[in-house]
Structure formats: structure tokens, C-alpha cells
């Protein structure tokens, strides 16, 4: 009798074969859901505080183009090779060198997972259950279990969640924005001008906020686009989905900011509170919950893949461990960790740009997932140099600065090694 080996549907240690690739519609739903994250609404509020309506649109377009190009190229590489970020890192950084990007993405995504749980639990507990600690932790635990479960079952459950969440969040969020505009005073242009009066935020600065809002999460794009039919499809799905998804989140946050009544105690960047204020409590809970869920399960999925690479084990146990850590630490992460996560936002773009550069420079090496290299020190040094410059140089756009420096160091090292 033939013994059938169980198939790893998430291909943690292998390239995704062509037979397991997903449809255009499925990939679009997954990538669009990935960008639906409530924290991005904070960025919308910051942009509304500093830019008039024209400046807001220009920053949205400029930042969206740059972020789309970066994530789109990563998506292309993921689909062409069928490899996750961690497998691509093994090729570019070496087997043990890949532990650096895997640790960085895992650490960052577990952090955002915990922050997302608290972002869901704290306002719901406050609005519905009186704001007690017991209610908050109960909601954190329930949400943590559900979101960890969807990540545990892999790409299939991520697809189901995305198909449900994407239309719900988009339609209910747009409904809330339309209702806010109709019940508020003044036009969008007038309110943007009123809120941003006297601000020194530039369009470049606004574009930097757009890029920084999702560049760390976007670095994990290959984890999902490796299931796309081909590189061209993955590139355009990623660019379009990221632009639409992020733009909606920024717009929701901006409108929540500019239409809050003067003197109100409501949080100006919180679409949940705005929807409650507009008499849309049930839609508010749905939007908040699904919004966070779509990003959190993707984050935990990426964390599981990263830890599986480091510890040379299966993905599913690592997802459970990551979910447990993120759930237990959720409240602490929410109040203490966002500053560190912002620093890490500057460290991941150098990783992504090196993966892109190494693939296009050494395409022949990507025919299989195997590699003989232990550590590519030029790639490691490039990430360190890029991260330092991105965090310390207060000029231009931090993530772009980091990527430029990383490329210079990487190519300088590669060319010097070739000469020797």
C-alpha cells in the first residue's frame, strides 16, 4: 500500500509549484485585504493635519507610486521564483545570513499583530463593556485565538477571510465617509484647508508618511504573491491593490479627522469612534474587526514563515507560538512598542531592495531553492548600513535613503568580490 506524505499547502521550505498557483481574483483579494489596517488611518489623520486637499492627493499619488514600485517588484520576484521572503533571503543572504531578515520580519509582524489586537479590544471594551481590564483581556484573547487560527490554516483561510472582509470594509467605510461629509459642515476642500492651516508638512513629507505606513509589511509581499500565476500578474495586482487599499485607509482616517465636531472628545483619527458618533455602531464593529483581521492574519503568517526558516521547523507550530506571544504582549505592545516598530520600518526596505537586486543580477541561481552559500556578508552589511542611514539621516524619505545606501554597499561588495 502506498504511503502518501502530507502536502505542505504553504510551501514553507519549497517553491510553490505552478499547479498550486491561485487566480487573479484570489490574489487581488488577499493583497487588498493585506493593506486594510487601522493603523494606516492614523497616517491619514497626520496628512490631513498637515496638507490641504491638493497636497493630500499629491502625497497620496507620489507615495503610492514609490510604495507600489517597491512592493510590485517584490511581488514579481516572489511569483517568478515561487519563493517566500525567507527562501529568497537564503539565496541573497546565504543560509545563515537569511536569519537576519527572517528575524526582522518575524519580530516586526508579531509586534503589529499584538498592536492590532489591542486596537480592536480597547475601543470595543470601552464602548460596550465599560472599559474594564477583564473585558479588554477577554476580547484580546478571543480575537487572538480567531486570528491565530486563520493564520495557522494558511493561505486557504487567508483567502476566505479576505473575500469576506474586503467588500465589507470598503463599502461600510465609504458609507461612513459619505455620511460624515453629508452631516458635517463645509466641503472636503474647505475642511482640509481649515485643519492644515499653518502646518509645515510638505508633499514630500506626506509621501514619506504614505511609504512608511506600510513599507515594513509590504516587504513581506513575496510570501503571498508566490501563489500568483506569473510575475507580471503579481506585479500589477500588488501595485493596484496596495494603492487602492492604502488610499482608502488614508482617506478614512483623513475624513474622520476633518469632520469631527470642534471641541469633541472623540479621537480624530479613529474611524470606529466616528462611525459610532454617526449612529453606525454595528458597522463600526464589523469594520474595525475585519480591518484588523485581514492584516493580522497576514502578519502572523509571515512571522510563522520567518521563524520556521530560523529554527528549521514547520510553519504551523511557529504561527501558534507567534500568536501566543503577540496575544499575551498585546496591551504592552500597544502602549510601548510603536516607537520601536517605526524604527524597524526603516530596516526592512534595505532587505527588500537587496532581494530584488540579487534576483535580477543572479536569475540563474534562482532555478531551485538550494544554495551553498552560508553568509553573504556584503548583503548583511548593506542592510545594516541602510538601516543606520534610514534611521539617522533626517532628510528626504527615510526608507528611500535606506534602500539607496543598501544598494550602494551591496553592489560595491559584489563587484569587489568578483574582481578578486
Amino acid at each position: 500500500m502506498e504511503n502518501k506524505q502530507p502536502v505542505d499547502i504553504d510551501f514553507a521550505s519549497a517553491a510553490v509549484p505552478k499547479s498550486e498557483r491561485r487566480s487573479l481574483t484570489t490574489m487581488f483579494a488577499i493583497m487588498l485585504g493585506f493593506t486594510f489596517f487601522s493603523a494606516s488611518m492614523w497616517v491619514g489623520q497626520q496628512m490631513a493635519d498637515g496638507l490641504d486637499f491638493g497636497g493630500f492627493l499629491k502625497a497620496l499619488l507620489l507615495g503610492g507610486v514609490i510604495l507600489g514600485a517597491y512592493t510590485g517588484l517584490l511581488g514579481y520576484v516572489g511569483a517568478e521564483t515561487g519563493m517566500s521572503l525567507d527562501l529568497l533571503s537564503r539565496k541573497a543572504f546565504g543560509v545563515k545570513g537569511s536569519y537576519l531578515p527572517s528575524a526582522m520580519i518575524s519580530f516586526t509582524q508579531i509586534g503589529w499583530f499584538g498592536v492590532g489586537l489591542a486596537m480592536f479590544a480597547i475601543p470595543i471594551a470601552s464602548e460596550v463593556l465599560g472599559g474594564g481590564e477583564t473585558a479588554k483581556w477577554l476580547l484580546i484573547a478571543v480575537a487572538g485565538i480567531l486570528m491565530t487560527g486563520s493564520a495557522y490554516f494558511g493561505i486557504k483561510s487567508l483567502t476566505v477571510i479576505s473575500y469576506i472582509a474586503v467588500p465589507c470594509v470598503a463599502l461600510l467605510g465609504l458609507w461612513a465617509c459619505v455620511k460624515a461629509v453629508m452631516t458635517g459642515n463645509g466641503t472636503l476642500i474647505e475642511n482640509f484647508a481649515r485643519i492644515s492651516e499653518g502646518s509645515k508638512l510638505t508633499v514630500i513629507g506626506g509621501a514619506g508618511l504614505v511609504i512608511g505606513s506600510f513599507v515594513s509589511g509590504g516587504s513581506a509581499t513575496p510570501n503571498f504573491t508566490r501563489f500568483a500565476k506569473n510575475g507580471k500578474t503579481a506585479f500589477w495586482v500588488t501595485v493596484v491593490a496596495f494603492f487602492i487599499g492604502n488610499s482608502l485607509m488614508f482617506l478614512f482616517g483623513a475624513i474622520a479627522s476633518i469632520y469631527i465636531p470642534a471641541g469633541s472628545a472623540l479621537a480624530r483619527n479613529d474611524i470606529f469612534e466616528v462611525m459610532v458618533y454617526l449612529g453606525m455602531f454595528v458597522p463600526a464593529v464589523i469594520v474595525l474587526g475585519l480591518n484588523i483581521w485581514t492584516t493580522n492574519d497576514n502578519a502572523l503568517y509571515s512571522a510563522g514563515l520567518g521563524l520556521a526558516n530560523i529554527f528549521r521547523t514547520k510553519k504551523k507550530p511557529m504561527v501558534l507560538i507567534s500568536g501566543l506571544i503577540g496575544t499575551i504582549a498585546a496591551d504592552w505592545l500597544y502602549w510601548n512598542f510603536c516607537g520601536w516598530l517605526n524604527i524597524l520600518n526603516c530596516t526592512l526596505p534595505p532587505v527588500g531592495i537587496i532581494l530584488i537586486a540579487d534576483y535580477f543580477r543572479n536569475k540563474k541561481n534562482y532555478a531551485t531553492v538550494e544554495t551553498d552559500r552560508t553568509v553573504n556578508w556584503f548583503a548583511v552589511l548593506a542592510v545594516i548600513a541602510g538601516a543606520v542611514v534610514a534611521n539617522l539621516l533626517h532628510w528626504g524619505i527615510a526608507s528611500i535613503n535606506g534602500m539607496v545606501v543598501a544598494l550602494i554597499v551591496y553592489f560595491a561588495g559584489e563587484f569587489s568580490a568578483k574582481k578578486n
Side-chain angles (χ1 to χ4, degrees), residues 29 45 53 67 70-71 75 91-92 95 102 113 145 190 192 253 263-264 279 302 364 378 386 392 407-408 420:
Q45 178 258 318
F53 189 60
L67 183 62
Y70 170 68
T71 56
K91 305 293 286 187
V95 175
S102 289
F113 174 81
I145 291 170
E190 291 169 345
F192 265 94
S264 173
S302 293
K364 293 181 180 179
F378 299 125
L392 298 182
L407 282 176
I408 292 172
N420 294 331

Side-chain angles (χ1 to χ4, degrees), residues 30-383:
I30 290 173
M31 299 311 294
L32 191 58
F34 189 22
T35 64
F36 281 8
F37 189 35
S38 292
S40 297
M41 297 182 195
W42 296 350
V43 177
Q45 178 258 318
Q46 289 178 281
M47 294 170 66
D49 279 354
L51 296 167
D52 60 21
F53 189 60
F56 178 85
L57 294 180
K58 290 176 184 176
L60 203 63
L61 180 61
L62 177 60
V65 167
I66 296 173
L67 183 62
Y70 170 68
T71 56
L73 286 172
L74 279 172
Y76 177 90
V77 173
E80 287 295 294
T81 61
M83 298 183 198
S84 66
L85 175 143
D86 305 283
L87 293 179
L88 291 171
S89 296
R90 289 167 67 87
K91 305 293 286 187
F93 290 80
V95 175
K96 292 187 177 179
S98 70
Y99 297 168
L100 175 63
S102 289
M104 289 165 59
I105 197 72
S106 297
F107 186 61
T108 306
Q109 297 308 300
I110 291 172
W112 278 122
F113 174 81
V115 170
L117 290 180
M119 288 179 66
F120 171 76
I122 290 173
I124 300 294
S126 175
E127 186 70 31
V128 182
L129 303 172
E133 286 293 306
T134 301
K136 177 184 70 178
W137 279 107
L138 178 62
L139 287 171
I140 286 175
V142 172
I145 291 170
L146 291 174
M147 294 176 190
T148 301
S150 63
Y152 177 84
F153 289 108
I155 195 69
K156 288 185 177 179
S157 60
L158 266 61
T159 302
V160 172
I161 296 296
S162 295
Y163 270 125
I164 296 171
V166 166
C168 285
V169 172
L171 293 174
L172 292 175
L174 287 171
W175 177 25
C177 288
V178 170
K179 194 169 182 179
V181 173
M182 292 178 65
T183 57
N185 294 319
T187 65
L188 272 175
I189 295 175
E190 291 169 345
N191 278 283
F192 265 94
R194 174 179 57 83
I195 294 294
S196 64
E197 186 176 2
S199 171
K200 296 181 179 179
L201 182 65
T202 64
V203 170
I204 298 297
L209 291 174
V210 170
I211 297 167
S213 69
F214 211 74
V215 72
S216 64
S219 298
T221 297
N223 289 342
F224 311 102
T225 60
R226 63 200 172 111
F227 289 94
K229 296 289 186 183
N230 54 60
K232 184 178 180 180
T233 297
F235 177 85
W236 287 112
V237 163
T238 301
V239 170
V240 174
F242 272 48
F243 184 78
I244 292 175
N246 279 315
S247 296
L248 284 175
M249 293 301 103
F250 301 144
L251 183 64
F252 292 169
I255 291 180
S257 170
I258 64 177
Y259 279 98
I260 288 292
S264 173
L266 294 177
R268 291 178 53 246
N269 64 340
D270 194 331
I271 192 69
F272 174 78
E273 291 199 16
V274 173
M275 291 177 76
V276 172
Y277 170 77
L278 294 171
M280 303 171 64
F281 174 74
V282 173
V285 174
I286 294 173
V287 166
L288 184 66
L290 291 179
N291 199 355
I292 291 172
W293 199 335
T294 54
T295 302
N296 263 17
D297 59 3
N298 284 275
L300 208 57
Y301 181 84
S302 293
L305 289 172
L307 293 179
N309 178 53
I310 295 171
F311 295 106
R312 307 306 301 273
T313 186
K314 295 180 178 179
K315 179 203 68 119
K316 286 186 175 181
M318 295 298 100
V319 168
L320 294 179
I321 292 171
S322 300
L324 181 62
I325 293 171
T327 301
I328 292 174
D331 190 56
W332 182 87
L333 288 167
Y334 181 81
W335 296 110
N336 297 283
F337 207 58
C338 283
W340 288 104
L341 289 171
N342 288 331
I343 292 174
L344 286 168
N345 281 350
C346 295
T347 66
L348 285 169
V351 170
I353 202 67
I354 288 173
L355 297 184
I356 293 168
D358 194 77
Y359 169 76
F360 284 105
R361 184 172 180 270
N362 303 297
K363 278 188 179 182
K364 293 181 180 179
N365 294 342
Y366 286 78
T368 68
V369 299
E370 305 301 326
T371 181
D372 296 327
R373 177 178 278 178
T374 303
V375 179
N376 181 354
W377 289 108
F378 299 125
V380 172
L381 291 173
V383 168

